[in-house]
Amino acid sequence: MNTVGNGAPGLGAAEDVSRQTHSYAGVMDGSSSSKVTVEYHDPSGLFPLVHEQLAARFPLRNLHWKSPNRPLRSIDSLHVDLVPSKDSVHIAGVTSPGLVPPEGPSGASSPAPTSTEIIRPPAKERRHQIPGLRQTPYLKIYLLRCDDSDTYKSAARKQLREWVKTNTPPSQSSSSSSTQENHDAFEWMILHVVIPDTSAASQPRGSTTSSTTTGEKEKSNSTSRWARGTSTILEKIRADFNVSSKSAPDRVAQIRLQKDAVPPHMLPTAGSVTSPPLTESPQEQERVWNEIIAKFKTLILTTFGLRVSQYEEDLREKESQRALPGWNFCTFFILKEGLARGFESVGLVEDALLGYDELSIGLDTIVRDQASDGSQTQGGIILSYSDDLYEKTSKLLKRSQSGNGARKEPQPQIHDAKPINSQKKNYRDLILSNNISAFDFRCYIFARQMTLLLRLGNARSARSDLAAKLQPRPNARMMQRSVDDVAVGTKSSPSTNDTEDLLSLAELCSRALNFITFAGRLLRDDLLNGAKEHELEFPNPLIENLVRSWIYAAIQQIIDETATSSLPISKTLKDAASGSSGKMLSFGSHVEEQKLSFAEPKTMIHPSRSSSLNYGRSASAEPPYAAPTTSGQVVYENGQYQDRPTLGHESALPKAKSGVQELAGTRAQLYIVQRRILESAGKALGWTIGWAAVLLSVRENEQLSEVDLDGTGSGEDEEPTKDKPPALSPTLGLSAAALVDAVSSLDQFRQFYEVLSDLIVKHYRAAGQSKSEESVLGDLAALKFELGDFAAAAMYFGRRENMYVDHRWNFVEATMLRMHSQCLKKLNRKDEYVRTLLDLLAKSTASRKSLRTKSPRISLSESSTVWFNDDNVNTTGLFTELITFSEQLPKDRTVPMTKYFDDIHIEPYVRHFDNKDGFQLRLQFRHVLEDEIEIRQAKVHLVSADPAQGKEIWLETSEPLHLKKGLYRTWLHSNINTTGPYMVDRILLEANRIIFLHEPFIKAEAITPLGITTSVSAASLKAAKKARILCFPRMEALQTRLYLSHYIHIDRRRSVDIELLSGWNEIKRAEVRLRAASAGLRLRTGDATATSGEIKIQDTPSPGVFSIVDMSADSNATFQIPYELETILPELTIKVEVEYFTENGQFQYHSSFTIPIELPLDVNVHDHFKNDSLYSKFNIKTSSNMPLEILDVGLDGSEEFDVFGPRRAQKSIMVFPKQPVSVTYKITKKSASLAMRRKSQAPSGGSLALSVEYRCMNEDILERVRELFASAVENSPVHRLARLLIATFADRLEHRVLPHQFEKIALLDKVDLGSFDDIGWSDCIDSLPHIIREDTQTWLRKWHEAHRAIILPSTPDLKLPIPGTAPPSSRPPRQIVITVSIPQTHILHTASLTLKPSEHSSLSASTTIAVAGQPVMTELSIKHTRRWGSPDTFIKAAGLSSPEDAIEFVYSIEANPEYWLVAGQRRAHFTAKEDEQRTFPILLVPLNPGYILLPNVEIRARIPPKPEQQRQGGGTGGDDDVEGEQLNCETDYLSNGECIMVVPDMRSATVGIGDMGRAGSTIWLESESRV
């Protein structure tokens, strides 16, 4: 490190032309500590007194720089390098003669200092014509010692003026050349250092008037000492040297030293100062130093802004001159690089990187123009080759062609361990002299970019290099080194701020990958052009080895530079202790990296900045310089150095480091290139490795052959070389130590290849790139297989299982599977061996599928010879091996059928057997492989598309299948009879332990509300119509019917009837299983009975099951099964399964029935009591909208009652929803003696049975039309489809045609069916085979045309049937029996109100005419009977001791007061016995004329209280009503509804009539009363 001017080559940094070449290169290469230089002028030796305070406040922090054409830049920390001026020459350890302590009496002086102890200031510099090659300080400071005002006036002021005049920066000059001098712009500052015990120490910082303007505090005790108008030394300096402009900065500051910090010999003698010194508090001292540091920041940023503005102006000028003759790119490069280095010096690394990126693009343009225009390129000529590369290559070639003696000399190398180094050559001199090649030019630019990216990434290599440069020389003292580096190297402790920015390191790796591969081509061209220029030819192996070696070393350098502890696998391959090349170590056995032995705080090394542009941006975004600014330029913004968290992001919780995956992925690609270099080097030696070795042997022999593990090879390849002269060494030109070591032997070559592959795998795994990782695992597996390590090879193959897919497998992957299978077989891993064989066969099948799809005209044997066929894999014998070997598996293994067979299809048309029940389906598939295999059994699983059916069907083959290559078809059989749509759920082929499974439809998953994932039934899938299979049995097959029993007794248990038709089956034994599909339904099969036929129930082995035996063909039997319900249901769903055995084997029948159980009719009854009889009126109406046909109604008598009904109807009666039917019956008690009846203890009440025989019109019409259609189908050419067509016709008729026609049909006896299209036959016809589809449709159309309307006569003529007339229903009518209870009443009164004429009555004797206002005499007759009630209950209710006792009654006359006036008792008590008639006279007076109903009469019993109630209650007031309510009384009022005519009381009237037509002309004269 240079002790003088060791700053970063900043903007306008001065250069010492007297330095040596290596020193110049070390300064100008940019790899410096990146500090700004501040020059101090110290004529009084004050610097050692203030450097400790300055060092404690460096680096400068929180600087904010704003350029007019740039966004705000924030610099977190900026390092400062304080260097002495040329007049500040001091001996080491001695600052000035004034500070030297007095010598001894002898006056001997100290010995002369040596050259190493003298700090020599830079000599007078000669300014370079190119600003980018100059370096000057940013700030110049004058350390002034002025102890009193007199000294200032006499000497100090003059010295300051001379210094200021000499060091006035160009920016403050008014000369015309000031614009060009801004490259070296700087600011100046005067720092007044006050020594204790001096006059200046007793002065305040300012007077009273000036303290307010300067903002400095004045001591309170100094006011009396200094009068108004006197100025301090500080104020005088400010007044003399500060610029009066308001915008000018304050360049004068003052610091006061403490007495203990100043050596005694620098203090003034005692008594020289009479005034006491002023003291400052620590807070005041800290404030003063903060102001000084603020001045440092302001002045340095001002200088930096001036320099940047000047460089930008020059660059714009140079850009405008690009098209002019004489424009030189190299000069432009140096100028623009000066701007980039200036940015770097202040920590704006992103801006510096942007500058180099733009320069790289400019170089590309120059090189491209030069290649197209030749030597006439505008901007200078870039050399096509490098002289040093040519010379080194020539020496290497000559040495290899010389004798053995020359081989003992060190082999010349074109690169070292770090080929990408900006200090490797004097690049900048070469650029200035236009003597640089394109290869060197690009290497220099990338080296600078790499340095900046390493700084952005805060890489360990960058930190260690900069720390080494900041180390002080061994003989240097504290004063000679940078004052802000005092903490460097003092203690070895981990730093908290040395975390790498992995995204920047990943960006470096990505750039390096592109650059190194491109630079390799440049290097090759460079060598070829150099040899061509010197009329020499370098051997091609030599050039290739040189390029390989350089690429390998460059990649290794990038890998070492980007090593980070955040990625443990990124350890360098170079021994950190010796620096010698070491062998690659796989992850897990790597050595620990050597760490620096001193603390490396980030802010102590790199000046870093944080920009406001970084806030709000994600850390995982693209590199910040990828976003263009408004000016169109790419701005490099990166906030990796900021110590505060980014806004909008939480930083409290620890998060995964950003950029780990990106860095691991790019490093893995670098390792991939290294491995390719290794493979190419080995190929030059005749070695093949990995897949190259395996595929070579496979393609030669079409099978895996033994690989030569000794590397001796065969003699065939060596024969052509016998006749050739001795060739150069195949390793000539390889200078990368690791590469040379790797090709030293075949074992080393393979070991190195394995280690590199292992590192690649680990990096890809860390990057999350599983596909790339698995690809490299395949390379490792091939290597292990080549070496015979089958266990390791199988392990690597096993880790690639997720890549075994059947999209497009190539030859390499198929070969890998075959190798994997061989490894597993030798390791006796059966399950994995079978799995691998399956994967290999799947690959081969996919290959043949793709070939047959792409080129169906080319056979497989022909296509195997096509050169571009990479999918042809020979798997002959493997399928047979798989089937045979699978017998050793412990359990079945299910695999997808589509991976091994093609064209899998089930024909959706059933075929029936000719002599038995059941059906068949045809399965077809294509066997595409060569092996002939045997399939033990093929199965197809069908599921119902109707959720109500829910039954599964299995079809299977009866014999094994022998498969050959090609399309195969086979019939699968089922012994199940059912009707309904089904879908193919699964197709299975069983071959020993291997089961090939195909599921045509992917079943979705449903999530229940509880979060349980269940598989959705295939019945709920919306499959295409073509995929559905409509199953139906033959017309001759077994058939069942289930319906509600036709006879229902309302008080008995209900039942259902199942009708079993055997068809053509001679059933030996059958088992009928009924399953309730409705909630709460219980079928009592144990109580089942046979109601028709000769078959009896044999056994009921379990609930819901009963069995029968010996049922002949073409017979039927009906069984009645009672049922019970826990809840009221409108309909029942019952599933019927019949398993029956015939001579042809075992068969099954499946069907599901839904039957309504709600009663279609409703019966209401109204009873009317008479003295000797009871009249009951029954109202019969429909309970739904369906009409009913009442065939017969009857009420049966009982032992106690006789029933007299109306005459039975000759025809049936129709009941409509709005037209019920009423039937009235007279019920009388049978004659018996009163004594016998009263002695009987049984209740006198009884019950009758009402029987109603009826037909439901919907059932009757549907059945009659169905039978008409069935008879037509059975006698037609489509009779084999009768069961399907009849079921479909009945379903369509019930749901689409009849519901809105029933009332019309019942009235007109005619059904309008409509046309063929109205019924909706399309779904049914589409499910039929094409061969019979057209004939079936034609017949159905003809039938519908002939039967558009069907006649339904009530009494059809069976002898001469009319076409289109439906036959009568074969089913019997329904009958319901309803129990009718006889109502009971204790007492029935018979009352009548009879009109009696009298002498004074106005009632006419011949007519029922009364006169209004005249009384009418009536007689009330009352008698009662007790025959309609039970004697026992009557005695208890009436409180009598004997049934013959009299009862007290109360009658009430209820008359409307508007019409009747009752004269006499309206309510009276009377006592009567049974059948005793009592009469009461009643006088009624009609009030209004008209027809008036007679008053009503109400009679009730008055029951006396019991003795117990009298003792408890003490009276009978309220108890009469209670007891009366308990006794039931009815009244038969015979006069109910009778009325009389009331006329006015007027016999005649006389009316006078005047003028006709005039109002008021008619007057009433007189009238005559009737009495």
Side-chain angles (χ1 to χ4, degrees), residues 687-718:
W687 299 338
T688 56
I689 192 170
W691 284 112
V694 173
L695 295 180
L696 182 61
S697 60
V698 170
R699 286 171 178 168
E700 289 178 355
N701 303 323
E702 284 299 325
Q703 288 187 359
L704 298 177
S705 61
E706 296 295 332
V707 180
D708 184 12
L709 300 180
D710 298 331
T712 57
S714 60
E716 297 178 358
D717 296 337
E718 298 178 357

Side-chain angles (χ1 to χ4, degrees), residues 86 140 159-169 186:
K86 60 183 179 179
K140 293 183 179 182
Q159 293 175 2
L160 285 175
R161 285 178 177 174
E162 292 177 356
W163 181 81
V164 171
K165 182 178 180 181
T166 305
N167 297 281
T168 300
F186 63 90

Side-chain angles (χ1 to χ4, degrees), residues 1262 1265 1288-1299 1313:
L1262 178 63
V1265 177
T1288 303
F1289 177 78
D1291 179 74
R1292 299 295 191 275
L1293 189 67
E1294 180 180 3
H1295 294 92
R1296 302 184 62 175
V1297 178
L1298 296 182
L1313 286 184

Side-chain angles (χ1 to χ4, degrees), residues 437-451:
S437 65
F439 175 74
D440 287 340
F441 214 148
R442 293 186 185 276
C443 286
Y444 173 71
I445 293 178
F446 182 76
R448 295 294 299 129
Q449 292 173 332
M450 180 182 70
T451 303

Side-chain angles (χ1 to χ4, degrees), residues 1238-1353:
R1238 290 180 176 175
K1239 290 180 180 180
S1240 176
Q1241 298 298 326
S1244 59
S1247 60
L1248 307 177
L1250 177 66
S1251 174
V1252 180
E1253 186 176 346
Y1254 64 96
R1255 292 183 186 272
C1256 295
M1257 292 303 297
N1258 56 337
E1259 296 179 357
D1260 183 67
I1261 294 171
L1262 178 63
E1263 181 65 20
R1264 295 178 67 179
V1265 177
R1266 192 191 69 83
E1267 290 180 359
L1268 175 65
F1269 180 79
S1271 62
V1273 172
E1274 292 174 1
N1275 299 320
S1276 68
V1278 295
H1279 65 279
R1280 296 177 64 92
L1281 306 175
R1283 292 281 286 273
L1284 173 64
L1285 297 179
I1286 293 173
T1288 303
F1289 177 78
D1291 179 74
R1292 299 295 191 275
L1293 189 67
E1294 180 180 3
H1295 294 92
R1296 302 184 62 175
V1297 178
L1298 296 182
H1300 60 282
Q1301 299 184 9
F1302 286 116
E1303 289 193 25
K1304 181 180 178 181
I1305 296 173
L1307 294 173
L1308 302 179
D1309 292 337
K1310 184 175 67 173
V1311 178
D1312 294 329
L1313 286 184
S1315 63
F1316 170 85
D1317 298 327
D1318 295 336
I1319 293 294
W1321 286 102
S1322 58
D1323 293 343
C1324 177
I1325 293 178
D1326 291 342
S1327 64
L1328 300 176
H1330 294 279
I1331 191 172
I1332 62 174
R1333 185 177 299 177
E1334 188 66 28
D1335 296 340
T1336 305
Q1337 183 174 355
T1338 302
W1339 184 87
L1340 288 173
R1341 286 187 179 275
K1342 291 181 178 180
W1343 188 88
H1344 276 280
E1345 290 177 359
H1347 297 81
R1348 286 185 174 272
I1350 297 178
I1351 306 301
L1352 300 173

